[in-house]
Amino acid sequence: MAERLVLASSSPRRRAILEQLGVDFSVLEPDVEELTDGEPRELVVENALLKLRAVPGERVLAADSMVVWGGRAHGKPADEAEADRWLRELSGRWHEVMGGIALREHGEERTDVAVTRVRFRELSDADIALYLDCGEWRDRAGGYAIQELGAMLVEGIEGDWFNVVGLPVPALLRLAPNLLHE
């Protein structure tokens, strides 16, 4: 029998995805200072590894998400003004959501990166005000949540929807192919 998975995350969305998949896991929240500068693919993997290494256990999963546009990775907006600016920048445009995951099993660390393309529709001032007023942008990479009211921002998606929510399921199953059969 496999060791119980430990999720190194404070994200309720990551917990919900694992629960939806029927995975038996516990949660330990890592206390780390996330990196914010660097090449986006490397950044999400490095942040996932930082979280992974901050939590003890034989079988640990960690993840990080960034929203990328203009060649730059964006984490969580610092305040409402930054969230407003980001929504305006993303209006009518494609961007990428990068999800880095790290898994430690049997003393070995493995990583993967998922990239999902998302296109926002053209947003009006009223759309942006409505979204900012709901407060959902807080504590969300890129300042939005696709699975909640933020669905109204999105016009199209190419790739893994769960990656945009917070945990790339196909990438997870590449790292832990037996996870759902335990």
Side-chain angles (χ1 to χ4, degrees):
M1 180 137 173
E3 179 88 16
R4 186 174 194 209
L5 182 70
V6 175
L7 175 63
S9 177
S10 60
S11 167
R13 292 154 303 276
R14 292 187 181 117
R15 291 179 201 160
I17 292 168
L18 288 177
E19 288 168 358
Q20 182 177 342
L21 294 173
V23 175
D24 181 32
F25 69 98
S26 61
V27 175
L28 283 175
E29 296 184 11
D31 183 20
V32 297
E33 183 77 26
E34 292 184 22
L35 305 172
T36 57
D37 293 320
E39 194 278 320
R41 278 180 181 270
E42 293 173 11
L43 201 55
V44 293
V45 169
E46 285 303 314
N47 280 333
L49 284 168
L50 283 172
K51 295 172 189 178
L52 180 81
R53 293 169 181 161
V55 169
E58 290 298 313
R59 191 166 188 231
V60 179
L61 171 67
D64 188 55
S65 299
M66 295 265 175
V67 177
V68 180
W69 72 92
R72 204 170 141 246
H74 299 76
K76 300 166 186 167
D79 53 31
E80 187 171 326
E82 187 168 54
D84 180 275
R85 188 174 72 252
W86 289 2
L87 292 172
R88 291 178 190 285
E89 289 175 15
L90 291 171
S91 177
R93 295 181 51 194
W94 284 98
H95 61 276
E96 294 179 328
V97 176
M98 292 192 184
I101 60 172
L103 179 70
R104 180 173 60 239
E105 282 186 303
H106 315 297
E108 177 190 357
E109 294 178 350
R110 297 187 309 280
T111 62
D112 203 346
V113 177
V115 179
T116 305
R117 293 189 49 178
V118 179
R119 180 178 174 79
F120 273 16
R121 61 186 188 82
E122 291 288 338
L123 303 176
S124 68
D125 289 342
D127 293 331
I128 292 170
L130 173 68
Y131 195 69
L132 292 173
D133 286 346
C134 84
E136 185 177 281
W137 57 270
R138 289 182 180 86
D139 198 35
R140 308 294 175 116
Y144 74 96
I146 194 171
Q147 75 278 18
E148 296 177 30
L149 180 61
M152 66 95 153
L153 307 170
V154 177
E155 184 171 86
I157 180 171
E158 294 176 359
D160 178 17
W161 181 83
F162 285 102
N163 182 44
V164 183
V165 176
L167 185 64
V169 172
L172 172 61
L173 296 177
R174 282 192 296 274
L175 293 183
N178 298 318
L179 184 65
L180 303 182
H181 306 286
E182 297 170 356

